[in-house]
Every structure is written in C-alpha cells, then in structure tokens.
Amino acid sequence: MKRRILLLAGGQSGEHEVSLMSARSVLGALPRDRFDVTPVVISKEGRWLPPTETQKALESGAAPTGGDLVLHRVASAEGYDAVFPLLHGPMGEDGTVQGLLTLAGIPFVGSGVLGSAVSMDKVMTKQVLASAGIPQVAWRLAVRREWQRAPQAVEARAAELGFPLFVKPANLGSSVGISKVSAAAELRPALDLAFSLDRRVILEAMTAHKPREVEVGVLGNDAPIASPVGELRFEADFYDYETKYTEGLATMHVPADLPPEVSERIRETALRAFRALDCAGLARVDFFYVEETGEVLLNEVNTMPGFTTTSMYPKLLEAAGYGYSELVTRLVELALEER
Ligand code: ADP
Ligand code: MG
Ligand code: MG
C-alpha cells in the first residue's frame, strides 16, 4: 500500500527560499509507486497554505500571504503516514514543528524535539558536546538582558577569548548576523547586530589559523552511518552569507583531500555527536580542520541541512552509495521505523 506523505516546506525563517528549492528536488525524487506526496508550503507568516497556493509558491519560489493557522491544519495532517518537515532554521528545524507533530502522533523525518532544539542552539550544542569530550573552540554565552544592563560583563567575557573572535546569534543559520571581530572596538556593533536577531548570543574564539571547512553526512536512527568527508573551499575571509549563496564563490569537494587518519577521526566524531545530541534520521555535522595544528574542531550540527540535488548533504550521501531518490526514500523509512 502506498504511504501518504506530507511534505512541509518554506517556513518562517530566513531560509524559506532555500527550503522551497529543497522541496522541489525532494518532490521530484520520492518514488510515486511507493509514496503519495502532498506538499504544503508554510508562508513566512507561519500559515499553512492550501493546495493551489502551495503550488504557486513552489513554482514561483515565493509564498503568497493567506492560508490557515498551523493548529487548524495539523488536525487534517492526521491522515498521513509520515511528515517530511523540510524546514530550515527557527520555527522548523528547532523542535517547534517537531513538537506539534509529536503531539499530533504523526511520525516524521529527522530529529525529535530534543535533538532538534539542542542542535539548533549553538550554545546548548557546545555544552552537550563538551560533556561528551568532543573538541571545539572556546566559547562564552551572553543573553540580551545582560547586554542591555551590564555590557561591561559581556565585553570582559569577550576579552577572555581574545581577538579575533566570532559573534553569532545562537539560533540562526546561513551565517545571518555573524561577525568576525578583530579588535575590541568592533565588538559593540557585532553584539548589537546579533542581539537584534536573537536573545542568546555566542562568542567564539577563532581557530588558531583560517580553518579548512569539512562536513560529514550522518544517516540512520540507532545505528547511523557516516558519509565520506566533504570540503568547502572559498576565497572569502569566512563562509559568510554572500559566499554561501552566490553561485561560483564556493566549491564542494567530495571526498575531501585529507590524511586517512584525519578523515576517520572526523567521521567517528560526527557519529559521537549525532548520538550525544539525540539526533535521528539525518544530520550534517560541520567541522573546522586546522591543518597547521592537526586539530579537528566540531563547529555545528544541522538537523535539516540544505536538500537540493546539488546540496552538500545529498552529495555526501551519494559518495556513501545513496542516490538522491534512494536517500529520500530511506529517510521516510527511517521516520516510520520504531525507535
Ligand atoms: P551558520 O550556522 O550560520 O552556518 P557557523 O557557526 O557555521 O554559522 O559560522 C559560519 C561560518 O563562519 C563558518 O562556516 C566559518 O567560515 C566561520 N566561523 C564561525 N565560527 C568560527 C570560528 N570559531 N573560527 C573560525 N571560523 C569560524
Ligand atoms: Mg548552521
Ligand atoms: Mg555553518
């Protein structure tokens, strides 16, 4: 019997358009003899769009306004065997939608509430991974209230890390709101920017040298596998928004040209992180490899990574032997698996 799948795309975060692109790829790839797929686009206002509006949004790449409140819609999601929440960033990848689907009793692709929420927050991720003994850069947390009431305390914390350092909203992606701060004088605007986007901000020591940026795809539930390691190369000072989304500014290399021992260490660490964070289904685990020192530092874990046919995650899994269509099918199977 065909499985009925609800594919959620779009969403309220800055990665709305990226999600629509991923959804078009996934829709084209889920085998029709096995799955009956209904897409629903979530507008930037968080409304679940009816079929005609959804179709328009998928075709044009931008969601119109209108649609239903989430809670009206989720009841009608009950007829589905599984949901594929192909949503990136806050209000989609962060445990919110996962909580809704858990309440509704519908299996879904990817991590649950806990793994999604912890992995979305860069500070919580670092805390959990530190207790699992996974190497990372030094960091400090700052919250908005503190920055408003006692900015000196936050500045002192930054000084402990030394310069250059990175200032980031704790719960965003796509490098939005991230600054590289080279001197104390640049700290204020960087913190103002990050706090305009999030209540929680992470300060991070920069790696000792400009790092190589390497990523691993993890696939599975209780017995996950790690893909070969891939690398992103670019000229920019760091992997900022422009470099990520301007065609031709960055290139992907799979497998990365690394000593076998380093690749193995990266893959093994990715699996440990996946388990420590209680991830499920899939995750792309991103690392900094500091060639000069030999350090492998875990940067972040993305529980719903970009998913177009040319995105890094599918490329990594392709190198592990999963074609795109096979990969999306496997993800739905994992969602239906008892855990
Ligand atoms: P996002 O979730 O938005 O992708 P990241 O934490 O991955 O945010 O940071 C974006 C980019 O900034 C990284 O890919 C890297 O190029 C640079 N970067 C971030 N933190 C550091 C750091 N501590 N040291 C060196 N480079 C960093
Ligand atoms: Mg990220
Ligand atoms: Mg990143």
Side-chain angles (χ1 to χ4, degrees):
M1 212 186 67
K2 277 199 200 179
R3 297 286 199 170
R4 294 195 58 203
I5 309 298
L6 176 65
L7 179 74
L8 293 177
Q12 297 180 63
S13 82
E15 289 164 291
H16 179 97
E17 285 79 11
V18 182
S19 164
L20 292 183
M21 281 194 281
S22 299
R24 281 195 287 270
S25 299
V26 170
L27 268 173
L30 278 169
R32 288 307 141 109
D33 55 332
R34 294 194 52 190
F35 303 113
D36 202 350
V37 190
T38 307
V40 168
V41 167
I42 301 177
S43 76
K44 288 183 177 172
E45 291 74 35
R47 302 208 162 224
W48 293 29
L49 301 177
T52 0
E53 302 299 306
T54 282
Q55 215 46 49
K56 268 192 232 159
L58 282 171
E59 279 157 23
S60 71
T65 49
D68 295 333
L69 281 174
V70 169
L71 289 178
H72 293 172
R73 273 283 168 149
V74 80
S76 58
E78 263 177 317
Y80 293 94
D81 295 305
V83 176
F84 197 142
L86 195 52
L87 304 162
H88 310 302
M91 304 296 185
E93 189 180 351
D94 62 350
T96 49
V97 167
Q98 289 74 12
L100 193 71
L101 297 173
T102 303
L103 278 174
I106 311 164
F108 54 92
V109 171
S111 296
V113 172
L114 181 64
S116 300
V118 175
S119 301
M120 188 80 241
D121 187 284
K122 294 181 194 298
V123 176
M124 290 305 290
T125 300
K126 285 213 161 36
Q127 283 169 342
V128 171
L129 297 184
S131 55
I134 291 177
Q136 309 170 89
V137 296
W139 83 94
R140 299 287 186 275
L141 164 71
V143 294
R144 191 186 279 144
R145 277 281 206 187
E146 248 185 323
W147 178 235
Q148 290 164 343
R149 291 182 177 172
Q152 308 83 348
V154 177
E155 284 164 345
R157 224 168 288 154
E160 287 166 19
L161 296 171
F163 298 99
L165 58 82
F166 279 81
V167 173
K168 316 176 184 179
N171 289 278
L172 273 179
S174 292
S175 299
V176 174
I178 296 187
S179 309
K180 180 178 169 184
V181 175
S182 302
E186 297 167 16
L187 197 55
R188 225 160 238 278
L191 282 160
D192 283 338
L193 171 66
F195 279 119
S196 72
L197 299 166
D198 202 341
R199 195 173 57 78
R200 289 158 63 78
V201 164
I202 186 167
L203 306 160
E204 281 187 25
M206 191 186 158
T207 50
H209 303 267
K210 186 180 173 184
R212 285 176 67 182
E213 308 217 12
V214 291
E215 310 190 335
V216 179
V218 178
L219 175 69
N221 289 335
D222 298 325
I225 59 146
S227 75
V229 181
E231 178 170 14
L232 285 156
R233 294 213 195 122
F234 50 86
E235 289 301 319
D237 191 29
F238 73 95
Y239 198 33
D240 57 10
Y241 185 90
E242 195 198 348
T243 312
K244 279 182 183 171
Y245 295 113
T246 311
E247 186 77 39
L249 290 190
T251 51
M252 280 179 222
H253 304 264
V254 184
D257 184 12
L258 294 167
E261 175 274 321
V262 174
S263 287
E264 267 326 293
R265 187 149 41 107
I266 292 171
R267 297 176 66 228
E268 178 263 330
T269 309
L271 290 173
R272 273 170 55 212
F274 189 89
R275 291 201 181 93
L277 292 164
D278 195 34
C279 292
L282 76 165
R284 197 191 73 222
V285 188
D286 300 350
F287 294 86
F288 297 137
Y289 171 48
V290 189
E291 216 162 14
E292 292 84 347
T293 61
E295 286 168 296
V296 166
L297 304 165
L298 196 148
N299 173 34
E300 62 161 340
V301 177
N302 298 284
T303 53
M304 193 52 77
F307 222 102
T308 67
T309 47
T310 57
S311 298
M312 187 58 126
Y313 183 82
K315 283 205 167 193
L316 292 169
L317 269 298
E318 189 181 16
Y322 288 84
Y324 190 87
S325 181
E326 205 181 336
L327 175 61
V328 289
T329 302
R330 180 75 192 124
L331 286 171
V332 174
E333 285 170 2
L334 287 166
L336 294 166
E337 206 172 71
E338 196 171 326
R339 286 167 40 206

